[in-house]
Amino acid sequence: MTQIKTLVLRMDTPLNSSELARFRGAVIAAVPSHNILFHNHCGSRLRYAYPLVQYKCIGGKAAIVAIGEGVTVMEELFAGTDFSIRLGKRTIALQIESIKAEEVKVSQSIVPIVYQLCDWLPFNEANYEHFVSINRMVERVELLERILTGNILSLFKGLDVFIDFPLHIEIMHYVQKTPVAYKGVKLMCFDVSFMANVLLPNYVGLGRHSSVGAGLLIRKNNNIQY
């Protein structure tokens, strides 16, 4: 049995998704320890691993989601007595609206669990070209299912979680949204409803740019049977 711990901090701070990168930068600047898990940089090099501290917009407000080892560093956020950030031209004193801790058991579920995946960015250059070259809807869905399966396995790998059963993913519905721009590059974006035979933590990110709000995972049912 393997457990995944998460901690979701929701702030009483209105935030647009377009402000997430600035919110992330402001929080990083305000953390006294400069712990690598807050920014995934080691000097001039990136930490190429699943991000354990992620910056989200949940319900129109700023949020931070910590996963696994990221949970243990969250106290460093509030090491100072006055926790305020600079967001653009605004100075904001962050107030916590809610804190939710969760610990999920990663085991095979007999009843498929339904998830919503919001603002998912699945493609690198190679699989983007493959996707646009496909004409049949069934084949497009199959490609998205393979990529999503890989994203979930990357989450497990980043948390040192190993499963002893085949992971089964079934996309029920997807909507292709307006492309989003990251560093001047437009990326294809989707909202996806899918079923999986495994319990996953709420509000974690899957796919590209998951550290800044993309690929927000929301569990839609709790009919879990092992």
Side-chain angles (χ1 to χ4, degrees), residues 176-205:
Q176 185 173 328
K177 302 180 69 177
T178 302
V180 297
Y182 278 88
K183 297 182 179 179
V185 178
K186 287 190 175 182
L187 302 175
M188 195 175 285
C189 182
F190 297 87
D191 282 347
V192 176
S193 297
F194 71 97
M195 295 189 295
N197 64 335
V198 66
L199 178 62
L200 299 170
N202 254 328
Y203 300 118
V204 299

PDB file of all heavy atoms in Angstrom, residues 176-205:
ATOM      1  N   GLN A 176     -11.675  20.838 -26.997  1.00  0.00           N
ATOM      2  CA  GLN A 176     -10.470  21.583 -27.361  1.00  0.00           C
ATOM      3  C   GLN A 176     -10.739  23.064 -27.150  1.00  0.00           C
ATOM      4  O   GLN A 176     -11.686  23.634 -27.697  1.00  0.00           O
ATOM      5  CB  GLN A 176     -10.103  21.308 -28.818  1.00  0.00           C
ATOM      6  CG  GLN A 176      -8.804  21.944 -29.250  1.00  0.00           C
ATOM      7  CD  GLN A 176      -8.392  21.519 -30.644  1.00  0.00           C
ATOM      8  OE1 GLN A 176      -8.662  20.395 -31.070  1.00  0.00           O
ATOM      9  NE2 GLN A 176      -7.745  22.413 -31.367  1.00  0.00           N
ATOM     10  N   LYS A 177      -9.915  23.697 -26.316  1.00  0.00           N
ATOM     11  CA  LYS A 177     -10.126  25.088 -25.932  1.00  0.00           C
ATOM     12  C   LYS A 177      -9.255  26.023 -26.763  1.00  0.00           C
ATOM     13  O   LYS A 177      -8.456  25.586 -27.602  1.00  0.00           O
ATOM     14  CB  LYS A 177      -9.818  25.245 -24.436  1.00  0.00           C
ATOM     15  CG  LYS A 177     -10.657  24.332 -23.543  1.00  0.00           C
ATOM     16  CD  LYS A 177     -10.314  24.513 -22.089  1.00  0.00           C
ATOM     17  CE  LYS A 177     -10.762  25.864 -21.567  1.00  0.00           C
ATOM     18  NZ  LYS A 177     -10.485  26.021 -20.119  1.00  0.00           N
ATOM     19  N   THR A 178      -9.397  27.302 -26.513  1.00  0.00           N
ATOM     20  CA  THR A 178      -8.537  28.277 -27.176  1.00  0.00           C
ATOM     21  C   THR A 178      -7.087  28.023 -26.785  1.00  0.00           C
ATOM     22  O   THR A 178      -6.799  27.794 -25.598  1.00  0.00           O
ATOM     23  CB  THR A 178      -8.926  29.704 -26.742  1.00  0.00           C
ATOM     24  OG1 THR A 178     -10.298  29.927 -27.056  1.00  0.00           O
ATOM     25  CG2 THR A 178      -8.062  30.742 -27.441  1.00  0.00           C
ATOM     26  N   PRO A 179      -6.163  27.994 -27.740  1.00  0.00           N
ATOM     27  CA  PRO A 179      -4.750  27.762 -27.393  1.00  0.00           C
ATOM     28  C   PRO A 179      -4.251  28.775 -26.374  1.00  0.00           C
ATOM     29  O   PRO A 179      -4.691  29.934 -26.367  1.00  0.00           O
ATOM     30  CB  PRO A 179      -4.024  27.921 -28.734  1.00  0.00           C
ATOM     31  CG  PRO A 179      -5.063  27.634 -29.765  1.00  0.00           C
ATOM     32  CD  PRO A 179      -6.358  28.142 -29.190  1.00  0.00           C
ATOM     33  N   VAL A 180      -3.351  28.325 -25.511  1.00  0.00           N
ATOM     34  CA  VAL A 180      -2.769  29.224 -24.511  1.00  0.00           C
ATOM     35  C   VAL A 180      -1.305  29.462 -24.861  1.00  0.00           C
ATOM     36  O   VAL A 180      -0.637  28.602 -25.450  1.00  0.00           O
ATOM     37  CB  VAL A 180      -2.901  28.641 -23.091  1.00  0.00           C
ATOM     38  CG1 VAL A 180      -4.359  28.502 -22.695  1.00  0.00           C
ATOM     39  CG2 VAL A 180      -2.200  27.289 -22.979  1.00  0.00           C
ATOM     40  N   ALA A 181      -0.812  30.619 -24.500  1.00  0.00           N
ATOM     41  CA  ALA A 181       0.563  30.999 -24.835  1.00  0.00           C
ATOM     42  C   ALA A 181       1.460  30.876 -23.614  1.00  0.00           C
ATOM     43  O   ALA A 181       1.119  31.362 -22.533  1.00  0.00           O
ATOM     44  CB  ALA A 181       0.611  32.413 -25.372  1.00  0.00           C
ATOM     45  N   TYR A 182       2.591  30.191 -23.778  1.00  0.00           N
ATOM     46  CA  TYR A 182       3.630  30.110 -22.761  1.00  0.00           C
ATOM     47  C   TYR A 182       4.941  30.538 -23.393  1.00  0.00           C
ATOM     48  O   TYR A 182       5.424  29.907 -24.333  1.00  0.00           O
ATOM     49  CB  TYR A 182       3.751  28.685 -22.205  1.00  0.00           C
ATOM     50  CG  TYR A 182       2.727  28.368 -21.143  1.00  0.00           C
ATOM     51  CD1 TYR A 182       1.489  27.859 -21.485  1.00  0.00           C
ATOM     52  CD2 TYR A 182       2.986  28.595 -19.792  1.00  0.00           C
ATOM     53  CE1 TYR A 182       0.538  27.574 -20.524  1.00  0.00           C
ATOM     54  CE2 TYR A 182       2.037  28.312 -18.822  1.00  0.00           C
ATOM     55  CZ  TYR A 182       0.825  27.803 -19.190  1.00  0.00           C
ATOM     56  OH  TYR A 182      -0.120  27.524 -18.231  1.00  0.00           O
ATOM     57  N   LYS A 183       5.470  31.655 -22.874  1.00  0.00           N
ATOM     58  CA  LYS A 183       6.724  32.203 -23.391  1.00  0.00           C
ATOM     59  C   LYS A 183       6.665  32.401 -24.900  1.00  0.00           C
ATOM     60  O   LYS A 183       7.602  32.087 -25.634  1.00  0.00           O
ATOM     61  CB  LYS A 183       7.903  31.312 -22.997  1.00  0.00           C
ATOM     62  CG  LYS A 183       8.106  31.237 -21.491  1.00  0.00           C
ATOM     63  CD  LYS A 183       9.313  30.396 -21.109  1.00  0.00           C
ATOM     64  CE  LYS A 183       9.505  30.368 -19.603  1.00  0.00           C
ATOM     65  NZ  LYS A 183      10.662  29.538 -19.195  1.00  0.00           N
ATOM     66  N   GLY A 184       5.522  32.909 -25.364  1.00  0.00           N
ATOM     67  CA  GLY A 184       5.361  33.233 -26.763  1.00  0.00           C
ATOM     68  C   GLY A 184       4.983  32.074 -27.664  1.00  0.00           C
ATOM     69  O   GLY A 184       4.782  32.263 -28.864  1.00  0.00           O
ATOM     70  N   VAL A 185       4.852  30.868 -27.096  1.00  0.00           N
ATOM     71  CA  VAL A 185       4.503  29.683 -27.890  1.00  0.00           C
ATOM     72  C   VAL A 185       3.067  29.279 -27.570  1.00  0.00           C
ATOM     73  O   VAL A 185       2.705  29.105 -26.396  1.00  0.00           O
ATOM     74  CB  VAL A 185       5.456  28.507 -27.585  1.00  0.00           C
ATOM     75  CG1 VAL A 185       5.049  27.268 -28.388  1.00  0.00           C
ATOM     76  CG2 VAL A 185       6.889  28.905 -27.889  1.00  0.00           C
ATOM     77  N   LYS A 186       2.239  29.150 -28.589  1.00  0.00           N
ATOM     78  CA  LYS A 186       0.854  28.745 -28.378  1.00  0.00           C
ATOM     79  C   LYS A 186       0.761  27.221 -28.257  1.00  0.00           C
ATOM     80  O   LYS A 186       1.329  26.485 -29.075  1.00  0.00           O
ATOM     81  CB  LYS A 186      -0.032  29.246 -29.520  1.00  0.00           C
ATOM     82  CG  LYS A 186      -0.272  30.750 -29.476  1.00  0.00           C
ATOM     83  CD  LYS A 186      -1.328  31.180 -30.468  1.00  0.00           C
ATOM     84  CE  LYS A 186      -1.633  32.669 -30.317  1.00  0.00           C
ATOM     85  NZ  LYS A 186      -2.694  33.102 -31.254  1.00  0.00           N
ATOM     86  N   LEU A 187       0.040  26.775 -27.224  1.00  0.00           N
ATOM     87  CA  LEU A 187      -0.081  25.348 -26.946  1.00  0.00           C
ATOM     88  C   LEU A 187      -1.548  24.945 -26.979  1.00  0.00           C
ATOM     89  O   LEU A 187      -2.416  25.656 -26.465  1.00  0.00           O
ATOM     90  CB  LEU A 187       0.511  25.027 -25.563  1.00  0.00           C
ATOM     91  CG  LEU A 187       1.975  25.394 -25.351  1.00  0.00           C
ATOM     92  CD1 LEU A 187       2.378  25.143 -23.907  1.00  0.00           C
ATOM     93  CD2 LEU A 187       2.870  24.607 -26.303  1.00  0.00           C
ATOM     94  N   MET A 188      -1.817  23.770 -27.563  1.00  0.00           N
ATOM     95  CA  MET A 188      -3.175  23.260 -27.636  1.00  0.00           C
ATOM     96  C   MET A 188      -3.645  22.846 -26.247  1.00  0.00           C
ATOM     97  O   MET A 188      -2.919  22.178 -25.507  1.00  0.00           O
ATOM     98  CB  MET A 188      -3.230  22.077 -28.613  1.00  0.00           C
ATOM     99  CG  MET A 188      -4.633  21.696 -29.057  1.00  0.00           C
ATOM    100  SD  MET A 188      -4.614  20.389 -30.317  1.00  0.00           S
ATOM    101  CE  MET A 188      -4.094  21.326 -31.747  1.00  0.00           C
ATOM    102  N   CYS A 189      -4.870  23.253 -25.891  1.00  0.00           N
ATOM    103  CA  CYS A 189      -5.372  23.101 -24.528  1.00  0.00           C
ATOM    104  C   CYS A 189      -6.706  22.355 -24.551  1.00  0.00           C
ATOM    105  O   CYS A 189      -7.533  22.569 -25.447  1.00  0.00           O
ATOM    106  CB  CYS A 189      -5.537  24.495 -23.911  1.00  0.00           C
ATOM    107  SG  CYS A 189      -6.099  24.517 -22.210  1.00  0.00           S
ATOM    108  N   PHE A 190      -6.924  21.487 -23.543  1.00  0.00           N
ATOM    109  CA  PHE A 190      -8.139  20.670 -23.490  1.00  0.00           C
ATOM    110  C   PHE A 190      -8.725  20.656 -22.085  1.00  0.00           C
ATOM    111  O   PHE A 190      -7.999  20.726 -21.089  1.00  0.00           O
ATOM    112  CB  PHE A 190      -7.827  19.214 -23.867  1.00  0.00           C
ATOM    113  CG  PHE A 190      -7.314  19.009 -25.261  1.00  0.00           C
ATOM    114  CD1 PHE A 190      -5.960  19.108 -25.542  1.00  0.00           C
ATOM    115  CD2 PHE A 190      -8.177  18.719 -26.301  1.00  0.00           C
ATOM    116  CE1 PHE A 190      -5.471  18.915 -26.818  1.00  0.00           C
ATOM    117  CE2 PHE A 190      -7.704  18.530 -27.586  1.00  0.00           C
ATOM    118  CZ  PHE A 190      -6.351  18.627 -27.848  1.00  0.00           C
ATOM    119  N   ASP A 191     -10.059  20.524 -22.030  1.00  0.00           N
ATOM    120  CA  ASP A 191     -10.757  20.059 -20.838  1.00  0.00           C
ATOM    121  C   ASP A 191     -11.196  18.630 -21.123  1.00  0.00           C
ATOM    122  O   ASP A 191     -11.782  18.356 -22.191  1.00  0.00           O
ATOM    123  CB  ASP A 191     -11.978  20.925 -20.527  1.00  0.00           C
ATOM    124  CG  ASP A 191     -11.612  22.249 -19.870  1.00  0.00           C
ATOM    125  OD1 ASP A 191     -10.454  22.410 -19.429  1.00  0.00           O
ATOM    126  OD2 ASP A 191     -12.489  23.133 -19.805  1.00  0.00           O
ATOM    127  N   VAL A 192     -10.924  17.724 -20.182  1.00  0.00           N
ATOM    128  CA  VAL A 192     -11.138  16.299 -20.420  1.00  0.00           C
ATOM    129  C   VAL A 192     -11.879  15.679 -19.253  1.00  0.00           C
ATOM    130  O   VAL A 192     -11.561  15.952 -18.085  1.00  0.00           O
ATOM    131  CB  VAL A 192      -9.786  15.565 -20.604  1.00  0.00           C
ATOM    132  CG1 VAL A 192      -9.998  14.061 -20.756  1.00  0.00           C
ATOM    133  CG2 VAL A 192      -9.040  16.113 -21.813  1.00  0.00           C
ATOM    134  N   SER A 193     -12.876  14.841 -19.556  1.00  0.00           N
ATOM    135  CA  SER A 193     -13.492  13.969 -18.555  1.00  0.00           C
ATOM    136  C   SER A 193     -13.017  12.550 -18.845  1.00  0.00           C
ATOM    137  O   SER A 193     -13.078  12.091 -19.998  1.00  0.00           O
ATOM    138  CB  SER A 193     -15.019  14.023 -18.637  1.00  0.00           C
ATOM    139  OG  SER A 193     -15.493  15.319 -18.343  1.00  0.00           O
ATOM    140  N   PHE A 194     -12.536  11.860 -17.806  1.00  0.00           N
ATOM    141  CA  PHE A 194     -12.045  10.503 -18.020  1.00  0.00           C
ATOM    142  C   PHE A 194     -12.290   9.632 -16.798  1.00  0.00           C
ATOM    143  O   PHE A 194     -12.559  10.130 -15.696  1.00  0.00           O
ATOM    144  CB  PHE A 194     -10.559  10.509 -18.388  1.00  0.00           C
ATOM    145  CG  PHE A 194      -9.619  10.869 -17.261  1.00  0.00           C
ATOM    146  CD1 PHE A 194      -8.988   9.874 -16.511  1.00  0.00           C
ATOM    147  CD2 PHE A 194      -9.328  12.193 -16.959  1.00  0.00           C
ATOM    148  CE1 PHE A 194      -8.116  10.199 -15.484  1.00  0.00           C
ATOM    149  CE2 PHE A 194      -8.447  12.524 -15.938  1.00  0.00           C
ATOM    150  CZ  PHE A 194      -7.845  11.524 -15.192  1.00  0.00           C
ATOM    151  N   MET A 195     -12.198   8.325 -17.029  1.00  0.00           N
ATOM    152  CA  MET A 195     -12.293   7.345 -15.956  1.00  0.00           C
ATOM    153  C   MET A 195     -10.948   6.653 -15.804  1.00  0.00           C
ATOM    154  O   MET A 195     -10.231   6.431 -16.786  1.00  0.00           O
ATOM    155  CB  MET A 195     -13.379   6.306 -16.255  1.00  0.00           C
ATOM    156  CG  MET A 195     -14.790   6.865 -16.302  1.00  0.00           C
ATOM    157  SD  MET A 195     -16.059   5.560 -16.411  1.00  0.00           S
ATOM    158  CE  MET A 195     -15.664   4.860 -18.027  1.00  0.00           C
ATOM    159  N   ALA A 196     -10.626   6.294 -14.577  1.00  0.00           N
ATOM    160  CA  ALA A 196      -9.381   5.576 -14.298  1.00  0.00           C
ATOM    161  C   ALA A 196      -9.638   4.533 -13.213  1.00  0.00           C
ATOM    162  O   ALA A 196     -10.547   4.686 -12.389  1.00  0.00           O
ATOM    163  CB  ALA A 196      -8.284   6.541 -13.853  1.00  0.00           C
ATOM    164  N   ASN A 197      -8.830   3.488 -13.222  1.00  0.00           N
ATOM    165  CA  ASN A 197      -8.983   2.416 -12.236  1.00  0.00           C
ATOM    166  C   ASN A 197      -8.064   2.602 -11.035  1.00  0.00           C
ATOM    167  O   ASN A 197      -7.656   1.639 -10.391  1.00  0.00           O
ATOM    168  CB  ASN A 197      -8.728   1.053 -12.886  1.00  0.00           C
ATOM    169  CG  ASN A 197      -7.295   0.902 -13.394  1.00  0.00           C
ATOM    170  OD1 ASN A 197      -6.634   1.897 -13.691  1.00  0.00           O
ATOM    171  ND2 ASN A 197      -6.832  -0.339 -13.489  1.00  0.00           N
ATOM    172  N   VAL A 198      -7.746   3.863 -10.734  1.00  0.00           N
ATOM    173  CA  VAL A 198      -6.858   4.153  -9.615  1.00  0.00           C
ATOM    174  C   VAL A 198      -7.285   5.473  -8.964  1.00  0.00           C
ATOM    175  O   VAL A 198      -7.799   6.368  -9.642  1.00  0.00           O
ATOM    176  CB  VAL A 198      -5.389   4.241 -10.088  1.00  0.00           C
ATOM    177  CG1 VAL A 198      -5.174   5.426 -11.023  1.00  0.00           C
ATOM    178  CG2 VAL A 198      -4.420   4.286  -8.918  1.00  0.00           C
ATOM    179  N   LEU A 199      -7.103   5.556  -7.663  1.00  0.00           N
ATOM    180  CA  LEU A 199      -7.409   6.784  -6.936  1.00  0.00           C
ATOM    181  C   LEU A 199      -6.241   7.754  -7.065  1.00  0.00           C
ATOM    182  O   LEU A 199      -5.095   7.394  -6.792  1.00  0.00           O
ATOM    183  CB  LEU A 199      -7.671   6.464  -5.462  1.00  0.00           C
ATOM    184  CG  LEU A 199      -7.967   7.646  -4.538  1.00  0.00           C
ATOM    185  CD1 LEU A 199      -9.246   8.356  -4.969  1.00  0.00           C
ATOM    186  CD2 LEU A 199      -8.081   7.174  -3.094  1.00  0.00           C
ATOM    187  N   LEU A 200      -6.540   8.990  -7.456  1.00  0.00           N
ATOM    188  CA  LEU A 200      -5.531  10.038  -7.612  1.00  0.00           C
ATOM    189  C   LEU A 200      -5.877  11.198  -6.693  1.00  0.00           C
ATOM    190  O   LEU A 200      -7.051  11.444  -6.406  1.00  0.00           O
ATOM    191  CB  LEU A 200      -5.474  10.514  -9.064  1.00  0.00           C
ATOM    192  CG  LEU A 200      -5.111   9.465 -10.116  1.00  0.00           C
ATOM    193  CD1 LEU A 200      -5.336  10.020 -11.521  1.00  0.00           C
ATOM    194  CD2 LEU A 200      -3.683   9.002  -9.940  1.00  0.00           C
ATOM    195  N   PRO A 201      -4.879  11.963  -6.249  1.00  0.00           N
ATOM    196  CA  PRO A 201      -5.146  13.086  -5.352  1.00  0.00           C
ATOM    197  C   PRO A 201      -5.874  14.223  -6.072  1.00  0.00           C
ATOM    198  O   PRO A 201      -5.647  14.484  -7.250  1.00  0.00           O
ATOM    199  CB  PRO A 201      -3.747  13.542  -4.910  1.00  0.00           C
ATOM    200  CG  PRO A 201      -2.819  12.446  -5.304  1.00  0.00           C
ATOM    201  CD  PRO A 201      -3.436  11.760  -6.463  1.00  0.00           C
ATOM    202  N   ASN A 202      -6.741  14.891  -5.338  1.00  0.00           N
ATOM    203  CA  ASN A 202      -7.433  16.060  -5.866  1.00  0.00           C
ATOM    204  C   ASN A 202      -6.478  17.233  -6.068  1.00  0.00           C
ATOM    205  O   ASN A 202      -5.548  17.437  -5.275  1.00  0.00           O
ATOM    206  CB  ASN A 202      -8.524  16.499  -4.888  1.00  0.00           C
ATOM    207  CG  ASN A 202      -9.917  16.137  -5.385  1.00  0.00           C
ATOM    208  OD1 ASN A 202     -10.182  16.109  -6.578  1.00  0.00           O
ATOM    209  ND2 ASN A 202     -10.809  15.866  -4.451  1.00  0.00           N
ATOM    210  N   TYR A 203      -6.707  17.995  -7.125  1.00  0.00           N
ATOM    211  CA  TYR A 203      -6.069  19.286  -7.390  1.00  0.00           C
ATOM    212  C   TYR A 203      -4.597  19.198  -7.765  1.00  0.00           C
ATOM    213  O   TYR A 203      -3.919  20.229  -7.840  1.00  0.00           O
ATOM    214  CB  TYR A 203      -6.241  20.242  -6.211  1.00  0.00           C
ATOM    215  CG  TYR A 203      -7.698  20.529  -5.897  1.00  0.00           C
ATOM    216  CD1 TYR A 203      -8.250  20.189  -4.669  1.00  0.00           C
ATOM    217  CD2 TYR A 203      -8.517  21.127  -6.850  1.00  0.00           C
ATOM    218  CE1 TYR A 203      -9.590  20.440  -4.387  1.00  0.00           C
ATOM    219  CE2 TYR A 203      -9.856  21.375  -6.587  1.00  0.00           C
ATOM    220  CZ  TYR A 203     -10.380  21.037  -5.354  1.00  0.00           C
ATOM    221  OH  TYR A 203     -11.706  21.275  -5.094  1.00  0.00           O
ATOM    222  N   VAL A 204      -4.082  18.002  -8.025  1.00  0.00           N
ATOM    223  CA  VAL A 204      -2.711  17.929  -8.532  1.00  0.00           C
ATOM    224  C   VAL A 204      -2.726  18.251 -10.021  1.00  0.00           C
ATOM    225  O   VAL A 204      -3.773  18.250 -10.669  1.00  0.00           O
ATOM    226  CB  VAL A 204      -2.080  16.535  -8.283  1.00  0.00           C
ATOM    227  CG1 VAL A 204      -2.014  16.243  -6.795  1.00  0.00           C
ATOM    228  CG2 VAL A 204      -2.840  15.441  -9.028  1.00  0.00           C
ATOM    229  N   GLY A 205      -1.558  18.524 -10.579  1.00  0.00           N
ATOM    230  CA  GLY A 205      -1.452  18.862 -11.986  1.00  0.00           C
ATOM    231  C   GLY A 205      -0.913  17.709 -12.814  1.00  0.00           C
ATOM    232  O   GLY A 205      -0.074  16.941 -12.350  1.00  0.00           O
TER     233      GLY A 205
END
